Amino acid sequence: MKALVTGGAGFIGSNLALELQKRYKDIEVFVLDDFSSGHFKNLIGFEGEIITGSITEPETIEKLRKYGFDVIFHQAANANTTDTNQRKMMEANYEAFKDLLEIARESKAKVIYASSAAVYGNGPAPMKVNQELLPENIYGFSKYAMDMLAYKFMKENPTISVVGLRYFNVYGPREIYKGKMASMVLQLTVQIMKGKRPRLFKWGEQKRDFVYVMDCIEANIKSFEANKSGIVNIGTGKARSFNEIVDVIRRTLNVDVEIEYFDNPYDFYQNYTEADLTETKKILNWYPETQIEEGIPAYIKWIKENVNINKLPY
């Protein structure tokens, strides 16, 4: 069996590729990445084949067609939520997904792909999969368009399993190369470890559903094993404020530091996200194991052992 992980040098993709390699000795794992935002260091320990190329390049799509993959884990994307170039975003996220679905149709490959809680915008929380989708920016819209395409594909190809994972706020090991797109958990941790005051939009009471990356990896694997189709939320089901995040970091590091609050410059900001996990449990039989009280200390331990924080820009 052959498995492809697109964006395999990135944050979620590299964790997934390494876990698939560890867990399934009879599956040949391939990684695709153009290394524009992924990093080779995320793949140290990976033993499978690396395909260098972009999902937006026709020649790369043609190359992928020849492998005959049995499952495609599609993590590659333009994940810059502040990018306002609409064409660039749609080409990288929507158009490329269309090409990958055609490859899956030809080879009858299962597809597990990264959607996003950004499709909900500032809709009511907890966010339910079937509620009205109100994306606030082009990134959220591109993921919305991917979901609509996936539903159409599921209807037209009922024998091919397709699962969309609407990730909420993912944090954890191997995200250090994401720059300004890295989780606030990492950014706030590094600020505090450097002796700085952690910076939050006024007044830190905006809430997010923070989900640990290894729970997301388990959701991908459950999607692969479930042999079902659908779109589901991947979060903890419990929104937490940014002030709470800072509190857990401070307790873990045993430091007392004041928060610096400043005005939020974004008019498309999501103030409150929380995942309703009803469909997730039904389709995947998946439930998150890690709340921030366990996930953040585990992540900080990894940061201390693996990261030179002085090289990070936060």
Side-chain angles (χ1 to χ4, degrees):
M1 181 175 278
K2 294 179 180 179
L4 172 67
V5 181
T6 71
F11 170 35
I12 297 176
S14 60
N15 279 293
L16 177 57
L18 290 164
E19 187 63 23
L20 290 170
Q21 174 180 276
K22 175 182 173 184
R23 199 175 297 198
Y24 299 101
K25 300 304 180 185
D26 58 339
I27 295 180
E28 192 176 0
V29 183
F30 297 76
V31 155
L32 170 70
D33 210 293
D34 66 0
F35 294 89
S36 59
S37 58
H39 201 282
F40 77 90
K41 287 192 175 180
N42 280 340
L43 287 173
I44 292 175
F46 179 67
E47 299 167 0
E49 182 176 334
I50 298 168
I51 305 166
T52 306
S54 170
I55 52 173
T56 63
E57 298 167 345
E59 61 269 28
T60 299
I61 294 298
E62 285 306 308
K63 191 190 299 184
L64 295 179
R65 222 173 224 112
K66 299 172 184 176
Y67 283 86
F69 294 112
D70 300 286
V71 56
I72 298 171
F73 295 91
H74 179 41
Q75 308 296 322
N78 179 348
N80 184 352
T81 58
T82 63
D83 191 344
T84 57
N85 187 323
Q86 298 183 62
R87 177 172 180 168
K88 178 181 168 186
M89 186 70 73
M90 292 300 289
E91 286 175 347
N93 294 355
Y94 177 72
E95 295 293 340
F97 185 48
K98 195 185 296 184
D99 291 336
L100 287 171
L101 285 177
E102 181 58 23
I103 291 173
R105 189 190 63 77
E106 292 169 3
S107 64
K108 308 298 183 189
K110 294 181 180 181
V111 178
I112 297 99
Y113 74 94
S115 184
S116 171
V119 300
Y120 297 115
N122 279 305
M127 278 83 174
K128 297 179 172 61
V129 169
N130 296 320
Q131 75 184 50
E132 184 181 8
L133 303 180
L134 301 165
E136 294 279 347
N137 58 14
I138 185 58
Y139 171 77
F141 178 78
S142 72
K143 293 295 183 176
Y144 160 86
M146 288 173 68
D147 286 351
M148 297 305 103
L149 186 62
Y151 279 132
K152 182 173 183 285
F153 184 88
M154 292 175 204
K155 186 175 181 180
E156 294 174 351
N157 302 274
T159 61
I160 299 176
S161 172
V162 178
V163 180
L165 304 177
R166 285 180 182 162
Y167 296 134
F168 279 66
N169 282 67
V170 187
Y171 68 97
R174 296 188 175 87
E175 65 164 322
I176 61 171
Y177 303 106
K178 289 186 69 175
K180 66 179 182 178
M181 289 299 107
S183 73
M184 286 302 295
V185 175
L186 176 62
Q187 296 190 40
L188 293 167
T189 296
V190 171
Q191 288 169 16
I192 293 171
M193 288 177 73
K194 286 183 175 180
K196 299 177 181 179
R197 295 169 67 188
R199 304 183 77 240
L200 295 178
F201 296 148
K202 293 176 180 177
W203 295 100
E205 284 305 308
Q206 304 91 343
K207 290 187 174 182
R208 290 283 189 277
D209 193 327
F210 295 93
V211 57
Y212 195 55
V213 66
M214 295 315 295
D215 280 342
C216 296
I217 301 312
E218 195 63 35
N220 275 272
I221 289 170
K222 288 278 191 183
S223 300
F224 168 55
E225 294 178 342
N227 206 33
K228 296 180 181 178
S229 289
I231 295 174
V232 299
N233 289 330
I234 303 299
T236 64
K238 185 177 182 182
R240 309 297 290 269
S241 73
F242 287 102
N243 285 329
E244 287 181 274
I245 295 297
V246 172
D247 284 342
V248 175
I249 296 169
R250 286 190 293 209
R251 288 199 303 271
T252 303
L253 294 174
N254 195 26
V255 297
D256 186 15
V257 60
E258 289 187 3
I259 298 170
E260 177 185 338
Y261 295 104
F262 65 104
D263 292 328
N264 181 354
Y266 301 114
D267 59 3
F268 53 78
Y269 193 75
Q270 284 180 295
N271 288 303
Y272 178 27
T273 67
E274 183 175 280
D276 178 281
L277 299 177
T278 304
E279 292 296 311
T280 319
K281 294 175 189 174
K282 185 190 303 181
I283 293 174
L284 301 187
N285 192 29
W286 174 89
Y287 195 79
E289 296 183 356
T290 315
Q291 294 292 338
I292 59 171
E293 286 78 9
E294 300 81 39
I296 290 177
Y299 189 20
I300 289 176
K301 181 176 184 292
W302 184 88
I303 291 169
K304 287 180 174 180
E305 293 173 351
N306 295 278
V307 179
N308 181 350
I309 61 168
N310 294 317
K311 291 186 176 182
L312 296 180
Y314 318 119

